Structures are given as C-alpha cells and as structure tokens.
Amino acid sequence: MATASLVLAIVSWFICGIVFSIVAIILGYTAREQIAVSGEDGRGMATFAIWMSYFHIAFSIVLIVLVIVLLARGADWRHLLG
C-alpha cells in the first residue's frame, strides 16, 4: 500500500492532480497504520508520499489562485499563445 501511495503521489503531478493526491494521502495514512501493526518496512515511503501529495495540493492551490488573480486583473494572455 505504501508503494501504491508513492506511485499515485508521483502520477498526480502529471494526471488528475488533486484527485490522485488525495487518494495517495489516504493510502499513505492507511499504509502507515498497517505498518505500525505488522512491523513491516515502508513507513518512510508512505510518509514521503503523504508529504509529496500535501505539497502538490498546496502548489496547485497557489497556482490556481495566481491564475484567478491574473485573470481578474485583466492580464493579456494572447501574447503567451503565439
């Protein structure tokens, strides 16, 4: 489960961003609980996936807010399109 969490956290940067990040966080916390009970390896991987997903969500929110602010200020995007 820790591996699945990490894979989703990485994939979330390219596909279905926030949705996959949320799923990766849920899987990461579930994996950490299972690891605490079973004593298996993977706690670091699950923790890294959780933090990477939180960072991705925060980054996405900042980016969305930035775009909204620029659009609200009347930014001219035509020069970016060619």
Side-chain angles (χ1 to χ4, degrees), residues 40-75:
E40 295 178 358
D41 292 335
R43 182 171 174 80
M45 187 185 316
T47 302
F48 181 71
I50 290 167
W51 281 105
M52 185 174 14
S53 297
Y54 277 134
F55 177 75
H56 182 232
I57 291 171
F59 178 78
S60 296
I61 290 170
V62 168
L63 192 61
I64 290 168
V65 169
L66 179 65
V67 168
I68 290 171
V69 167
L70 289 174
L71 288 174
R73 294 183 76 205

Side-chain angles (χ1 to χ4, degrees), residues 75-82:
D76 186 12
W77 295 87
R78 285 177 277 164
H79 69 281
L80 296 175
L81 300 177

Side-chain angles (χ1 to χ4, degrees), residues 20-49:
F20 279 2
S21 289
I22 292 170
V23 174
I25 290 169
I26 293 167
L27 285 176
Y29 279 118
T30 305
R32 284 180 29 172
E33 289 175 9
Q34 289 180 352
I35 290 166
V37 171
S38 68
E40 295 178 358
D41 292 335
R43 182 171 174 80
M45 187 185 316
T47 302
F48 181 71

